[in-house]
Amino acid sequence: MMISKRLSELRKRKQWSLQYIADQLNIAKSTYAGYESGYRQPSLEAVKELATLFGTTTDYLLGTTDEEQPSIELTLPTVRLTVDGEAVTEDEIIQLIAFIRAKRDIENKK
């Protein structure tokens, strides 16, 4: 199962113990160990809590995506972007992209 493999990989990468994660979720160590071994399936609420704890998404844990963090391509906006609660205009996105590209060019020349 994808979720058990991903949970194990994330825990080992962070060098966390089974007990530490179980304590964070207020569950028994054996319950969490069951998630990693594939013996138990976490509830949807547990998957959500695990994603938050590991700093990733539920889609990543469930194997829907291989990206640990979602990304948004600014040159093809498919979501409504906001800054301080106000919508970002198309002109502002163009200026932001130009700024990032110019900054990267300068850094690559160093």
Side-chain angles (χ1 to χ4, degrees):
M1 299 212 61
M2 182 61 71
I3 191 165
S4 60
K5 181 180 176 189
R6 296 248 164 115
L7 290 173
S8 179
E9 289 172 354
L10 289 167
R11 179 181 61 80
K12 289 174 183 174
R13 190 179 318 147
K14 291 186 177 283
Q15 299 180 335
W16 290 347
S17 68
L18 293 170
Q19 187 64 57
Y20 173 79
I21 295 172
D23 290 346
Q24 298 304 304
L25 300 175
N26 291 317
I27 60 174
K29 178 181 170 183
S30 61
T31 300
Y32 180 74
Y35 297 164
E36 280 196 18
S37 71
Y39 179 73
R40 293 178 181 261
Q41 288 297 308
S43 67
L44 292 176
E45 186 62 32
V47 171
K48 183 177 147 187
E49 290 175 14
L50 285 161
T52 300
L53 180 65
F54 283 116
T56 190
T57 65
T58 56
D59 282 346
Y60 178 75
L61 291 181
L62 296 171
T64 305
T65 181
D66 288 330
E67 292 184 27
E68 286 187 46
Q69 295 295 321
S71 62
I72 297 171
E73 177 59 51
L74 288 178
T75 59
L76 304 168
T78 57
V79 295
R80 182 173 177 257
L81 300 174
T82 61
V83 173
D84 300 327
E86 291 185 38
V88 177
T89 67
E90 186 175 339
D91 283 343
E92 290 172 325
I93 291 172
I94 291 169
Q95 290 172 359
L96 177 61
I97 292 168
F99 171 78
I100 292 169
R101 287 178 176 159
K103 184 176 182 295
R104 287 178 180 170
D105 284 346
I106 291 168
E107 289 173 352
N108 288 333
K109 291 178 182 175
K110 289 184 179 180

